[in-house]
Amino acid sequence: MDVLDPLTISEEQRAAVIRAYDLSGYRDSGCLDDLAAFAAELCGTSVALISLVEEETQQFLAAIGFEERQTPRQTSFCARAMVAGDPVMVVPDASADPRFADFPFVAGPPHIRFYAGARLLSHEGVPLGAICVISPEPRPQGLTDFQYRGMEILATAVMGRLQDRRAQLEHMRTVEASEARVADSEQRFRTLADTMPQMVWSTQPDGFHDYYNARWYEFTGMPDGSTDGEGWNGMFHPDDQDRAWARWRHSLATGDPYQIEYRLRHHDGTYRWVLGRALPIRDAEGRITRWFGTCTDIHEQKLALEEREIVSQELSHRIKNIFAVISGLIAFAARSHPGFSGIASDLRDRITALGRAHDFVRPHSPQSQPKARQDSLHGLLGDLFEPYRGDTDARIRLDGEDVLVDDRSATPLALLFHELATNASKYGALSVMTGHVDLTVARQQDVVTLCWQEHGGPALEAPPQRSGFGSQLVELSAVRQLGGSVRRDWHAQGLIVTIEVPLAAFSRPAGVGPCR
């Protein structure tokens, strides 16, 4: 901080600094009496004062041998001492000094003659007053060097104590202001929380619940404060309590966001589904200082979703039955028309493949859920290739990266690889017991490459002269429906089919679902 020139400081500046010390009534504390007494003893005087010079008066913060609590500033020695050029102003004989000879305390009692005052400067350089010694006897010799230096040190000691008081007061004001801001912020938060439609709550870092907004008490019908601490868990459905506790303890231990659906007891005694969420608030060092959470009533949406799932499962089950009926009708037609049996067999196999693809991605109940993930390309192909598995190992070996799939891509993928597997069974590697197929999946940026490579089948002397319906179906599935490309390489060792498909064709973006 820059130090100011005492001679250029305005009274407004001095008054502002003096207020920072809040020295009203400070004399009664006696905090500076020992320094005043030591000054009197050091200089051998009967009077010693520590003065604070204000706009109209000077008040004494400590006084030895002097009863007055304050005197007018216009007749103050200390008012001159605090702006003097030297650290200590010495007046050997005030009666012979034209600056002070007419002062009442010089002309009359206590008949001041000798005065020595060390100025008191704040750390900004603002003059506040002086620590001084007074005697009714003149001292032509003034102060000794030891006494002069001692008065300087005492002035520094006085300011040290006053500065400690100022710092303490500023700290208290800062704390009070901070507490006021916190209280205002807390009030604003509570007002905002009470206007929200969700139930809002907060906890201490250890998870102790200490706040719920008005919506919580309206929903639960519980008295204020009755669910603080761990009482909140008693509001959950008994079947959800252990699960909610385990999830909450995990979040407290790891700092992970908290999210769970559970049934919460309503004030009418029923249980309603709610979505609970919470996030931690951290300080600059990353320590959790609070948790803030919400509970959102999702009961109606939950029931609607469950109803939709039931309907969806029922429709999917009926579609699966339709596939079975169509396959049966084809088989019946083939028996009635023997010449149709070859085509019927191929058609029935293709419908069966479509049925397997549909069954893989359709909505399931917990009892009918497939073992593999329903959004997994590996899972879909593994299920599709199950009929080609040998006695000891898989005839079609799947390797490489997995890719997310959905109901949109499952059908063309099932048709595509069903045709490749069927052709391999009739003419290629799967037509002999020693043959097998390697199917490799590789993803590079936005393109997925699927490489079908046959090994150990009959030697190929030349590519077929024409393409059949199966080849056309492969083109239809890969190119028209998936937007990809197909390349066939006919080698003596076996057929290689390279299929490139845009990654976006396999599944919809997150959050985009199928049309209902």
Side-chain angles (χ1 to χ4, degrees):
M1 179 179 294
D2 295 335
V3 177
L4 304 174
D5 182 356
L7 298 177
T8 63
I9 295 171
S10 67
E11 283 304 312
E12 288 78 9
Q13 290 176 299
R14 289 189 66 254
V17 173
I18 289 173
R19 284 195 299 270
Y21 290 93
D22 190 20
L23 296 172
S24 177
Y26 187 65
R27 176 175 178 171
D28 295 335
S29 69
C31 293
L32 298 176
D33 289 352
D34 59 332
L35 298 180
F38 188 76
E41 184 177 353
L42 173 69
C43 297
T45 62
S46 58
V47 177
L49 303 169
I50 297 176
S51 67
L52 176 69
V53 179
E54 299 177 304
E55 187 173 2
E56 299 293 337
T57 63
Q58 67 172 355
Q59 63 167 303
F60 302 115
L61 304 180
I64 301 298
F66 195 79
E67 297 300 328
E68 300 290 339
R69 301 185 71 86
Q70 65 180 35
T71 59
R73 175 174 176 170
Q74 63 183 5
T75 59
S76 167
F77 283 76
C78 293
R80 275 74 173 174
M82 72 180 185
V83 295
D86 297 325
V88 181
M89 184 183 82
V90 179
V91 180
D93 186 352
S95 63
D97 192 321
R99 295 175 296 174
F100 310 110
D102 295 335
F103 282 10
F105 288 141
V106 175
H111 301 287
I112 298 173
R113 294 295 179 266
F114 172 69
Y115 172 91
R119 64 189 181 187
L120 303 176
L121 296 178
S122 74
H123 64 271
E124 300 98 339
V126 174
L128 302 179
I131 177 172
C132 67
V133 292
I134 296 172
S135 174
E137 304 294 333
R139 289 190 184 181
Q141 75 281 7
L143 295 175
T144 66
D145 290 343
F146 179 74
Q147 291 170 331
Y148 190 99
R149 178 61 181 151
M151 289 296 288
E152 287 186 290
I153 293 173
L154 286 171
T156 301
V158 169
M159 285 310 305
R161 293 188 185 181
L162 294 183
Q163 188 59 38
D164 288 344
R165 174 179 174 81
R166 178 178 174 180
Q168 183 179 16
L169 292 171
E170 289 176 348
H171 175 70
M172 291 174 59
R173 293 186 186 109
T174 300
V175 171
E176 290 172 357
S178 177
E179 290 176 347
R181 287 194 297 271
V182 169
D184 181 65
S185 176
E186 180 75 10
Q187 183 60 39
R188 288 172 181 266
F189 165 74
R190 289 175 180 267
T191 301
L192 176 62
D194 283 342
T195 63
M196 294 179 65
Q198 289 95 350
M199 293 167 270
V200 179
W201 49 270
S202 71
T203 79
Q204 297 174 11
D206 61 0
F208 184 90
H209 285 66
D210 58 1
Y211 170 74
Y212 297 92
N213 73 338
R215 298 290 87 72
W216 168 269
Y217 293 111
E218 289 175 5
F219 183 96
T220 62
M222 299 296 290
D224 286 2
S226 60
T227 52
D228 289 352
E230 298 179 357
W232 59 275
N233 197 43
M235 303 303 300
F236 293 173
H237 191 285
D239 293 344
D240 298 337
Q241 290 182 10
D242 291 343
R243 181 170 56 90
W245 256 118
R247 186 72 57 85
W248 180 231
R249 283 195 293 265
H250 172 79
S251 293
L252 291 177
T254 63
D256 291 343
Y258 174 74
Q259 180 165 320
I260 188 174
E261 293 181 2
Y262 50 76
R263 287 161 290 182
L264 189 64
R265 191 171 70 229
H266 193 248
H267 62 76
D268 62 7
T270 63
Y271 285 92
R272 295 181 64 84
W273 282 101
V274 301
L275 172 63
R277 286 177 172 153
L279 289 173
I281 303 298
R282 300 178 185 271
D283 60 18
E285 287 73 35
R287 294 186 295 266
I288 295 176
T289 58
R290 290 198 73 76
W291 286 83
F292 283 101
T294 59
C295 298
T296 305
D297 189 339
I298 60 169
H299 192 72
E300 305 304 331
Q301 299 95 307
K302 186 80 170 179
L303 294 183
L305 180 61
E306 290 177 353
E307 291 175 0
R308 188 175 69 179
E309 288 298 319
I310 292 172
V311 172
S312 180
Q313 289 177 20
E314 180 62 24
L315 287 175
S316 293
H317 181 70
R318 294 190 180 190
I319 291 172
K320 179 183 177 182
N321 290 339
I322 289 173
F323 280 120
V325 170
I326 293 173
S327 295
L329 290 174
I330 293 172
F332 179 77
R335 286 195 298 271
S336 301
H337 304 278
F340 180 65
S341 60
I343 297 175
S345 177
D346 288 345
L347 183 58
R348 188 171 59 251
D349 288 345
R350 291 180 180 119
I351 291 175
T352 300
L354 290 176
R356 294 179 72 89
H358 168 76
D359 193 50
F360 185 80
V361 297
R362 74 177 176 88
H364 282 267
S365 66
Q367 292 75 25
S368 65
Q369 191 76 22
K371 294 180 180 179
R373 285 173 40 199
Q374 286 186 267
D375 59 355
S376 163
L377 175 62
H378 280 213
L380 172 64
L381 295 178
D383 193 64
L384 187 68
F385 295 150
E386 186 65 26
Y388 302 94
R389 176 177 291 277
D391 294 335
T392 57
D393 60 355
R395 302 287 305 280
I396 302 177
R397 303 168 184 174
L398 181 59
D399 193 17
E401 299 180 66
D402 202 357
V403 180
L404 296 179
V405 297
D406 60 17
D407 59 309
R408 181 182 60 173
S409 61
T411 298
L413 286 169
L415 285 175
L416 169 63
F417 286 101
H418 168 74
E419 291 304 321
L420 291 176
T422 299
N423 287 335
S425 297
K426 291 180 178 179
Y427 316 111
L430 301 184
S431 66
V432 296
M433 294 303 296
T434 57
H436 70 275
V437 178
D438 287 327
L439 175 57
T440 305
V441 183
R443 182 173 59 187
Q444 186 173 10
Q445 295 182 342
D446 296 332
V447 175
V448 177
T449 301
L450 302 106
C451 184
W452 173 278
Q453 188 167 5
E454 300 185 16
H455 304 276
L460 297 176
E461 297 179 357
Q465 297 301 311
R466 63 184 183 86
S467 60
F469 178 73
S471 297
Q472 295 176 17
L473 196 56
V474 169
E475 294 284 344
L476 174 66
S477 300
V479 179
R480 296 187 184 181
Q481 293 185 277
L482 295 174
S485 62
V486 179
R487 187 180 77 249
R488 294 177 178 83
D489 294 311
W490 303 91
H491 298 279
Q493 296 82 4
L495 172 66
I496 299 176
V497 182
T498 304
I499 305 162
E500 293 186 346
V501 177
L503 179 62
F506 284 88
S507 62
R508 300 174 182 83
V512 179
C515 296
R516 298 291 186 185

